[in-house]
Short mmCIF file of all heavy atoms in Angstrom, two decimals:
data_model
loop_
_atom_site.label_atom_id
_atom_site.label_comp_id
_atom_site.label_asym_id
_atom_site.label_seq_id
_atom_site.Cartn_x
_atom_site.Cartn_y
_atom_site.Cartn_z
N ALA A 1 5.03 -21.77 4.28
CA ALA A 1 4.59 -20.73 3.33
C ALA A 1 3.39 -19.98 3.89
O ALA A 1 3.28 -18.76 3.74
CB ALA A 1 4.26 -21.36 1.97
N ARG A 2 2.49 -20.70 4.55
CA ARG A 2 1.31 -20.06 5.14
C ARG A 2 1.72 -19.08 6.23
O ARG A 2 1.20 -17.96 6.30
CB ARG A 2 0.37 -21.15 5.69
CG ARG A 2 -0.99 -20.66 6.05
CD ARG A 2 -1.98 -21.80 6.31
NE ARG A 2 -1.50 -22.81 7.24
CZ ARG A 2 -1.13 -24.05 6.92
NH1 ARG A 2 -1.17 -24.44 5.66
NH2 ARG A 2 -0.73 -24.90 7.85
N ALA A 3 2.68 -19.45 7.05
CA ALA A 3 3.17 -18.54 8.09
C ALA A 3 3.80 -17.30 7.47
O ALA A 3 3.57 -16.17 7.92
CB ALA A 3 4.18 -19.26 8.99
N ARG A 4 4.59 -17.50 6.42
CA ARG A 4 5.22 -16.36 5.74
C ARG A 4 4.15 -15.48 5.08
O ARG A 4 4.23 -14.26 5.12
CB ARG A 4 6.23 -16.83 4.71
CG ARG A 4 7.02 -15.68 4.09
CD ARG A 4 8.08 -16.16 3.14
NE ARG A 4 9.14 -16.93 3.77
CZ ARG A 4 10.16 -16.40 4.43
NH1 ARG A 4 10.26 -15.09 4.55
NH2 ARG A 4 11.08 -17.16 4.95
N ALA A 5 3.14 -16.10 4.49
CA ALA A 5 2.05 -15.33 3.85
C ALA A 5 1.32 -14.49 4.89
O ALA A 5 0.97 -13.33 4.64
CB ALA A 5 1.08 -16.28 3.14
N ARG A 6 1.11 -15.06 6.07
CA ARG A 6 0.47 -14.28 7.13
C ARG A 6 1.37 -13.13 7.59
O ARG A 6 0.90 -12.04 7.88
CB ARG A 6 0.12 -15.19 8.30
CG ARG A 6 -1.08 -16.07 8.00
CD ARG A 6 -1.43 -16.96 9.18
NE ARG A 6 -2.72 -17.56 8.99
CZ ARG A 6 -2.95 -18.87 9.08
NH1 ARG A 6 -1.95 -19.70 9.35
NH2 ARG A 6 -4.17 -19.34 8.92
N ALA A 7 2.68 -13.37 7.63
CA ALA A 7 3.61 -12.32 8.05
C ALA A 7 3.64 -11.17 7.04
O ALA A 7 3.59 -10.01 7.44
CB ALA A 7 5.01 -12.91 8.24
N VAL A 8 3.74 -11.49 5.76
CA VAL A 8 3.78 -10.38 4.78
C VAL A 8 2.44 -9.67 4.71
O VAL A 8 2.39 -8.45 4.48
CB VAL A 8 4.26 -10.84 3.36
CG1 VAL A 8 5.65 -11.41 3.41
CG2 VAL A 8 3.30 -11.79 2.70
N SER A 9 1.35 -10.39 4.97
CA SER A 9 0.03 -9.75 5.00
C SER A 9 -0.09 -8.83 6.21
O SER A 9 -0.62 -7.72 6.10
CB SER A 9 -1.07 -10.82 5.03
OG SER A 9 -1.05 -11.57 3.84
N ALA A 10 0.39 -9.28 7.35
CA ALA A 10 0.36 -8.45 8.55
C ALA A 10 1.23 -7.21 8.38
O ALA A 10 0.87 -6.12 8.83
CB ALA A 10 0.80 -9.26 9.77
N GLU A 11 2.37 -7.37 7.70
CA GLU A 11 3.24 -6.22 7.45
C GLU A 11 2.51 -5.19 6.59
O GLU A 11 2.59 -3.99 6.84
CB GLU A 11 4.53 -6.68 6.77
CG GLU A 11 5.53 -5.56 6.59
CD GLU A 11 6.87 -6.03 6.04
OE1 GLU A 11 7.07 -7.24 5.81
OE2 GLU A 11 7.73 -5.15 5.84
N MET A 12 1.77 -5.66 5.59
CA MET A 12 0.98 -4.74 4.77
C MET A 12 -0.12 -4.09 5.61
O MET A 12 -0.37 -2.89 5.52
CB MET A 12 0.38 -5.47 3.57
CG MET A 12 -0.57 -4.61 2.74
SD MET A 12 0.16 -3.06 2.16
CE MET A 12 1.43 -3.67 1.09
N HIS A 13 -0.77 -4.89 6.41
CA HIS A 13 -1.89 -4.42 7.22
C HIS A 13 -1.50 -3.28 8.14
O HIS A 13 -2.24 -2.32 8.30
CB HIS A 13 -2.42 -5.61 8.02
CG HIS A 13 -3.68 -5.35 8.76
ND1 HIS A 13 -3.70 -4.96 10.06
CD2 HIS A 13 -4.97 -5.44 8.37
CE1 HIS A 13 -4.96 -4.82 10.46
NE2 HIS A 13 -5.74 -5.11 9.45
N SER A 14 -0.31 -3.38 8.73
CA SER A 14 0.08 -2.40 9.74
C SER A 14 1.20 -1.47 9.31
O SER A 14 1.56 -0.58 10.07
CB SER A 14 0.52 -3.13 11.02
OG SER A 14 1.67 -3.92 10.76
N GLY A 15 1.72 -1.65 8.12
CA GLY A 15 2.89 -0.87 7.74
C GLY A 15 2.70 0.06 6.57
O GLY A 15 1.58 0.30 6.10
N PHE A 16 3.81 0.59 6.12
CA PHE A 16 3.90 1.43 4.92
C PHE A 16 3.06 2.71 5.03
O PHE A 16 2.47 3.17 4.06
CB PHE A 16 3.54 0.63 3.67
CG PHE A 16 4.27 -0.69 3.60
CD1 PHE A 16 3.58 -1.89 3.54
CD2 PHE A 16 5.65 -0.73 3.65
CE1 PHE A 16 4.25 -3.11 3.50
CE2 PHE A 16 6.35 -1.95 3.60
CZ PHE A 16 5.63 -3.13 3.54
N SER A 17 3.03 3.28 6.22
CA SER A 17 2.19 4.46 6.46
C SER A 17 2.66 5.69 5.69
O SER A 17 1.84 6.50 5.27
CB SER A 17 2.08 4.76 7.95
OG SER A 17 3.37 4.95 8.51
N ALA A 18 3.96 5.84 5.49
CA ALA A 18 4.44 7.02 4.74
C ALA A 18 3.96 6.95 3.30
O ALA A 18 3.52 7.96 2.73
CB ALA A 18 5.97 7.11 4.81
N LEU A 19 4.04 5.78 2.69
CA LEU A 19 3.55 5.63 1.32
C LEU A 19 2.05 5.83 1.25
O LEU A 19 1.53 6.49 0.35
CB LEU A 19 3.93 4.26 0.76
CG LEU A 19 3.46 3.98 -0.67
CD1 LEU A 19 4.07 4.98 -1.66
CD2 LEU A 19 3.79 2.55 -1.06
N ARG A 20 1.32 5.31 2.22
CA ARG A 20 -0.14 5.48 2.24
C ARG A 20 -0.52 6.96 2.35
O ARG A 20 -1.45 7.41 1.70
CB ARG A 20 -0.75 4.70 3.41
CG ARG A 20 -0.66 3.21 3.26
CD ARG A 20 -1.19 2.57 4.56
NE ARG A 20 -0.80 1.22 4.71
CZ ARG A 20 -1.54 0.16 4.38
NH1 ARG A 20 -2.71 0.33 3.86
NH2 ARG A 20 -1.09 -1.05 4.59
N ARG A 21 0.21 7.69 3.21
CA ARG A 21 -0.09 9.12 3.35
C ARG A 21 0.27 9.89 2.08
O ARG A 21 -0.45 10.78 1.66
CB ARG A 21 0.69 9.71 4.53
CG ARG A 21 0.02 9.54 5.87
CD ARG A 21 0.69 10.35 6.97
NE ARG A 21 2.13 10.18 7.05
CZ ARG A 21 2.76 9.21 7.70
NH1 ARG A 21 2.06 8.30 8.34
NH2 ARG A 21 4.08 9.13 7.72
N ALA A 22 1.40 9.56 1.48
CA ALA A 22 1.88 10.28 0.30
C ALA A 22 1.05 9.95 -0.94
O ALA A 22 0.94 10.79 -1.84
CB ALA A 22 3.35 9.94 0.04
N CYS A 23 0.49 8.77 -0.98
CA CYS A 23 -0.26 8.31 -2.16
C CYS A 23 -1.60 7.73 -1.71
O CYS A 23 -1.79 6.51 -1.68
CB CYS A 23 0.54 7.26 -2.92
SG CYS A 23 2.15 7.80 -3.49
N PRO A 24 -2.55 8.59 -1.36
CA PRO A 24 -3.86 8.09 -0.92
C PRO A 24 -4.51 7.24 -2.02
O PRO A 24 -4.29 7.48 -3.21
CB PRO A 24 -4.67 9.35 -0.67
CG PRO A 24 -3.68 10.46 -0.58
CD PRO A 24 -2.49 10.05 -1.37
N MET A 25 -5.31 6.28 -1.61
CA MET A 25 -5.98 5.41 -2.57
C MET A 25 -6.87 6.25 -3.48
O MET A 25 -7.69 7.03 -3.01
CB MET A 25 -6.83 4.37 -1.83
CG MET A 25 -7.55 3.43 -2.75
SD MET A 25 -6.45 2.57 -3.88
CE MET A 25 -5.84 1.31 -2.81
N ASN A 26 -6.68 6.09 -4.77
CA ASN A 26 -7.50 6.80 -5.75
C ASN A 26 -7.49 5.98 -7.04
O ASN A 26 -6.52 6.01 -7.80
CB ASN A 26 -6.95 8.20 -6.00
CG ASN A 26 -7.88 9.02 -6.87
OD1 ASN A 26 -8.60 8.48 -7.70
ND2 ASN A 26 -7.87 10.31 -6.66
N LEU A 27 -8.54 5.25 -7.28
CA LEU A 27 -8.63 4.42 -8.48
C LEU A 27 -9.18 5.18 -9.68
O LEU A 27 -9.20 4.66 -10.78
CB LEU A 27 -9.49 3.19 -8.20
CG LEU A 27 -8.94 2.22 -7.17
CD1 LEU A 27 -9.97 1.15 -6.82
CD2 LEU A 27 -7.65 1.60 -7.65
N ARG A 28 -9.62 6.41 -9.46
CA ARG A 28 -10.24 7.19 -10.53
C ARG A 28 -9.27 8.02 -11.35
O ARG A 28 -9.63 8.54 -12.39
CB ARG A 28 -11.28 8.14 -9.94
CG ARG A 28 -12.41 7.43 -9.26
CD ARG A 28 -13.39 8.44 -8.68
NE ARG A 28 -14.36 7.78 -7.87
CZ ARG A 28 -15.43 7.16 -8.32
NH1 ARG A 28 -15.67 7.11 -9.59
NH2 ARG A 28 -16.26 6.58 -7.49
N LYS A 29 -8.06 8.17 -10.87
CA LYS A 29 -7.15 9.10 -11.51
C LYS A 29 -5.74 8.55 -11.50
O LYS A 29 -5.34 7.87 -10.57
CB LYS A 29 -7.20 10.44 -10.77
CG LYS A 29 -6.37 11.52 -11.38
CD LYS A 29 -6.58 12.85 -10.68
CE LYS A 29 -5.56 13.81 -11.20
NZ LYS A 29 -5.95 15.11 -11.45
N THR A 30 -4.99 8.87 -12.53
CA THR A 30 -3.57 8.56 -12.58
C THR A 30 -2.82 9.88 -12.44
O THR A 30 -3.13 10.84 -13.14
CB THR A 30 -3.18 7.88 -13.91
OG1 THR A 30 -3.94 6.68 -14.01
CG2 THR A 30 -1.71 7.56 -13.96
N PHE A 31 -1.87 9.91 -11.53
CA PHE A 31 -1.12 11.13 -11.26
C PHE A 31 0.22 11.10 -11.98
O PHE A 31 0.80 10.03 -12.18
CB PHE A 31 -0.89 11.28 -9.75
CG PHE A 31 -2.17 11.43 -8.98
CD1 PHE A 31 -2.84 10.31 -8.49
CD2 PHE A 31 -2.72 12.68 -8.75
CE1 PHE A 31 -4.02 10.43 -7.79
CE2 PHE A 31 -3.91 12.82 -8.05
CZ PHE A 31 -4.56 11.69 -7.57
N LYS A 32 0.71 12.28 -12.32
CA LYS A 32 2.03 12.38 -12.93
C LYS A 32 3.09 12.03 -11.89
O LYS A 32 2.95 12.33 -10.71
CB LYS A 32 2.28 13.80 -13.44
CG LYS A 32 1.42 14.16 -14.63
CD LYS A 32 1.72 15.57 -15.09
CE LYS A 32 0.84 15.92 -16.26
NZ LYS A 32 1.04 17.29 -16.73
N ARG A 33 4.15 11.41 -12.39
CA ARG A 33 5.25 11.04 -11.51
C ARG A 33 5.89 12.29 -10.95
O ARG A 33 6.22 13.22 -11.66
CB ARG A 33 6.29 10.22 -12.27
CG ARG A 33 7.44 9.78 -11.38
CD ARG A 33 8.43 8.95 -12.12
NE ARG A 33 7.79 7.71 -12.57
CZ ARG A 33 8.39 6.78 -13.27
NH1 ARG A 33 9.65 6.93 -13.62
NH2 ARG A 33 7.76 5.70 -13.63
N LYS A 34 6.07 12.30 -9.64
CA LYS A 34 6.83 13.34 -8.96
C LYS A 34 7.20 12.78 -7.59
O LYS A 34 6.55 11.85 -7.11
CB LYS A 34 6.04 14.65 -8.83
CG LYS A 34 4.84 14.61 -7.91
CD LYS A 34 4.19 15.97 -7.83
CE LYS A 34 3.08 16.00 -6.80
NZ LYS A 34 2.49 17.31 -6.68
#
């Protein structure tokens, strides 16, 4: 489980760049769905 936890953490650490670019971190505002 620890190995798998490290793998999914590493995937988050280095992945999902399209989502990160499309939805920049913003805790101050909620955006309308589009």
Side-chain angles (χ1 to χ4, degrees):
R2 193 168 51 252
R4 187 176 295 280
R6 286 181 167 127
V8 299
S9 296
E11 185 175 359
M12 174 55 65
H13 188 266
S14 63
F16 311 121
S17 57
L19 179 62
R20 292 175 198 264
R21 276 191 310 275
C23 301
M25 180 56 80
N26 188 331
L27 296 172
R28 297 179 189 279
K29 183 174 171 139
T30 300
F31 297 90
K32 291 180 181 178
R33 181 178 297 179
K34 68 178 186 178

